[in-house]
């Protein structure tokens, strides 16, 4: 169990496995991978005498260009797995090391990410197998066969990555996240947004060690390294709305030459079928805000929104909410009349990897504060 003792974490277990000179093969299968996590395994990978193979999930909004580039420089075998489906991703987390006499299996919930290796609460089982024992050999053969099937039987989905050009192509296709394009300096190294000590975060106290970051660049420090507050989102917030699968219009992505990206998200019923969208958002969700009329006669208000995507806190933003005035055509046509304007969030949200996901709007117990949680 990771997260309840400083001495127990997946990072140390995998490093120990890689440093075992008796193993001739090591397979690391992970749904998500990022650069900082690979950096923390880098020295043990370089020192390992085993033939190392990574199988990594992509097209998931988490796996990064920089992580694959670092693996390529380490001269390990790298395969990417793209299911080519929005409703089903490669979600395996398994490490297998073996020689002719014995094997070791680490199987659990942890990805090769900063959270998975050190920060998150994770669980897993470590099995030491003696291949002379029938039961152990049977388990080993099943796992090894499973890995072989993944690599060999799905050539359209599983690709070997042996050049930087292939990684660049995946990034250009939107199948990998580029860490260099993430917004920096949104959150201080202690996890707080600048100028605000009360930022809502999505962790509870964990007994964990600090992750090492590359000295040349701390690319993900501001996104991943957050201060522990002692409360989960649910402790300080109440869910007030949930979207249907996100579309390009929601995220401000231009769909075609004739489509104009508004840079805002209109709030309809979403999955809340019983609400009246003409009054619910203005009165119930945002009713306590200070509203004023703009030059067109529409009502506008400012609120603070903490943006969280896949568990990563991107900081707090001042966003505007617009509520259209009575008498507009939207009321007669039963269209949306309340919207959130993305403002400075737009550069993060204009990401096709987020299409098909769900946005949850939560209202904080602190007046004027909300959370946008994209899962």
């Amino acid at each position: 169990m990771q997260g309840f003792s400083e001495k127990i974490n997946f990072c140390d277990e995998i490093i120990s496995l890689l440093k075992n000179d008796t193993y001739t093969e090591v397979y690391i299968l992970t749904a998500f991978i990022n650069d900082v996590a690979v950096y923390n395994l880098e020295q043990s990978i370089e020192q390992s005498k085993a033939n190392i193979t990574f199988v990594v999930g992509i097209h998931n909004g988490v796996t990064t260009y920089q992580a694959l580039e670092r693996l390529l420089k380490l001269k390990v075998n790298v395969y990417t797995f793209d299911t080519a489906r929005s409703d089903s991703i490669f979600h395996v987390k398994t490490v297998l090391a073996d020689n002719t006499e014995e094997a070791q299996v680490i199987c659990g919930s942890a990805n090769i990410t900063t959270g998975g290796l050190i920060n998150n609460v994770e669980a897993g089982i470590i099995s030491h197998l003696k291949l002379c024992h029938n039961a152990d050999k049977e388990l080993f053969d099943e796992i090894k066969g499973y890995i072989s099937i993944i690599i060999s039987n799905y050539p359209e989905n599983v690709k070997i990555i042996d050049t930087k050009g292939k990684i660049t192509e995946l990034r250009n296709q939107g199948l990998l996240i580029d860490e260099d394009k993430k917004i920096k300096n949104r959150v201080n190294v202690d996890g707080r947004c600048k100028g605000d000590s009360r930022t809502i975060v999505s962790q509870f106290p964990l007994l964990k060690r600090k992750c090492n970051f590359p000295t040349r660049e701390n690319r993900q420090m501001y996104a991943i390294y957050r201060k522990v507050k002692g409360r989960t989102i649910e402790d300080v917030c109440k869910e007030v709305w949930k979207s249907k699968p996100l579309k390009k219009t929601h995220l401000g992505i231009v769909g075609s030459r004739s489509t104009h990206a508004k840079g805002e998200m209109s709030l309809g019923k979403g999955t809340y079928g019983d609400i009246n969208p003409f009054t619910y958002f203005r009165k119930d969700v945002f009713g306590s805000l200070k509203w004023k009329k703009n030059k067109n006669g529409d009502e506008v208000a400012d609120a603070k929104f903490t943006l969280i995507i896949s568990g990563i806190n991107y900081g707090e933003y001042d966003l505007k909410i617009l509520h259209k005035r009575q008498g507009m055509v939207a009321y007669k046509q039963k269209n949306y009349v309340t919207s959130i304007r993305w403002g400075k969030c737009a550069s993060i949200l204009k990401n096709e990897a987020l299409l098909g996901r769900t946005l949850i709007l939560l209202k904080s117990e602190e007046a004027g504060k909300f959370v946008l949680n994209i899962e």
Side-chain angles (χ1 to χ4, degrees), residues 278-328:
F278 300 120
T279 59
Y280 176 69
F281 298 102
R282 173 61 180 85
K283 294 183 179 180
D284 298 328
V285 178
F286 303 118
S288 62
L289 300 178
K290 295 180 180 179
W291 290 87
K292 58 184 179 181
K293 292 186 178 181
N294 62 16
K295 62 181 181 180
N296 297 322
D298 298 325
E299 291 185 285
V300 293
D302 296 318
K304 294 184 179 296
F305 290 83
T306 295
L307 177 62
I308 295 174
I309 302 175
S310 299
I312 296 177
N313 186 335
Y314 285 80
E316 190 174 66
Y317 298 83
D318 293 314
L319 303 182
K320 289 190 178 295
I321 303 161
L322 173 72
H323 184 74
K324 294 180 181 179
R325 60 191 181 276
Q326 291 286 342
M328 292 288 289

Side-chain angles (χ1 to χ4, degrees), residues 249 290 355:
T249 52
K290 295 180 180 179
L355 295 175

Side-chain angles (χ1 to χ4, degrees), residues 322-341:
L322 173 72
H323 184 74
K324 294 180 181 179
R325 60 191 181 276
Q326 291 286 342
M328 292 288 289
V329 177
Y331 285 90
K332 296 179 181 179
Q333 296 179 346
K334 296 185 178 181
N335 289 333
Y336 312 121
V337 297
T338 307
S339 60
I340 301 174
R341 296 193 167 177

Side-chain angles (χ1 to χ4, degrees), residues 170-331:
L170 292 175
R171 179 187 62 181
N172 294 340
Q173 293 174 354
L175 303 179
L176 296 173
I177 297 298
D178 188 342
E179 295 176 23
D180 288 338
K181 292 186 178 180
K182 289 184 177 180
I183 301 300
K184 300 180 180 180
N185 300 322
R186 292 294 184 200
V187 184
N188 295 325
V189 292
D190 66 353
R192 293 176 295 165
C193 289
K194 291 183 176 180
D196 188 349
S197 62
R198 300 172 298 169
T199 300
I200 303 165
V201 297
S202 58
Q203 288 187 331
F204 67 93
L206 306 179
L207 295 173
K208 65 188 181 193
R209 76 177 195 190
K210 292 182 179 179
C211 196
N212 297 319
F213 286 82
T215 54
R216 58 187 179 87
E217 286 185 31
N218 292 344
R219 276 192 281 250
Q220 284 198 312
M221 178 175 285
Y222 300 109
I224 297 177
Y225 200 58
R226 306 183 294 271
K227 184 177 181 181
V228 176
K229 288 289 184 178
R231 295 188 293 180
T232 62
I233 288 179
E234 289 73 17
D235 288 331
V236 294
C237 297
K238 176 185 177 182
E239 180 183 311
V240 292
W241 184 75
K242 182 184 291 187
S243 75
K244 292 181 179 179
L246 293 173
K247 300 179 180 179
K248 290 183 177 181
T249 52
H250 298 143
L251 301 174
I253 300 173
V254 177
S256 65
R257 292 182 180 179
S258 60
T259 302
H260 174 66
K262 296 186 296 182
E264 64 181 12
M265 182 172 183
S266 298
L267 301 174
K269 290 186 176 182
T271 60
Y272 279 44
D274 296 334
I275 65 171
N276 180 351
F278 300 120
T279 59
Y280 176 69
F281 298 102
R282 173 61 180 85
K283 294 183 179 180
D284 298 328
V285 178
F286 303 118
S288 62
L289 300 178
K290 295 180 180 179
W291 290 87
K292 58 184 179 181
K293 292 186 178 181
N294 62 16
K295 62 181 181 180
N296 297 322
D298 298 325
E299 291 185 285
V300 293
D302 296 318
K304 294 184 179 296
F305 290 83
T306 295
L307 177 62
I308 295 174
I309 302 175
S310 299
I312 296 177
N313 186 335
Y314 285 80
E316 190 174 66
Y317 298 83
D318 293 314
L319 303 182
K320 289 190 178 295
I321 303 161
L322 173 72
H323 184 74
K324 294 180 181 179
R325 60 191 181 276
Q326 291 286 342
M328 292 288 289
V329 177
Y331 285 90

Side-chain angles (χ1 to χ4, degrees), residues 9-16 18-19 28 33-47 54 67 70-71 74 112-119 209-215 217-218 220 224-225:
N9 58 74
F10 277 90
C11 187
D12 287 343
E13 295 296 342
I14 294 174
I15 287 173
S16 176
L18 289 168
K19 287 183 176 180
I28 299 178
I33 195 167
N34 64 30
D35 185 50
V36 174
V38 179
Y39 175 78
N40 279 260
L41 299 177
E42 188 172 65
Q43 185 176 1
S44 57
I45 291 174
E46 290 175 331
Q47 294 174 351
F54 278 77
R70 189 179 290 273
L71 287 177
L74 290 171
I112 307 300
T113 60
T114 318
L117 291 184
I118 294 176
N119 289 350
R209 76 177 195 190
K210 292 182 179 179
C211 196
N212 297 319
F213 286 82
T215 54
E217 286 185 31
N218 292 344
Q220 284 198 312
I224 297 177
Y225 200 58

Side-chain angles (χ1 to χ4, degrees), residues 19-58:
K19 287 183 176 180
N20 187 329
D21 291 340
T22 68
Y23 293 131
T24 57
E25 289 185 311
V26 175
Y27 294 90
I28 299 178
L29 287 72
T30 180
F32 311 138
I33 195 167
N34 64 30
D35 185 50
V36 174
V38 179
Y39 175 78
N40 279 260
L41 299 177
E42 188 172 65
Q43 185 176 1
S44 57
I45 291 174
E46 290 175 331
Q47 294 174 351
S48 176
K49 296 181 179 180
N51 180 42
I52 301 174
T53 299
F54 278 77
V55 182
V56 179
I58 60 172

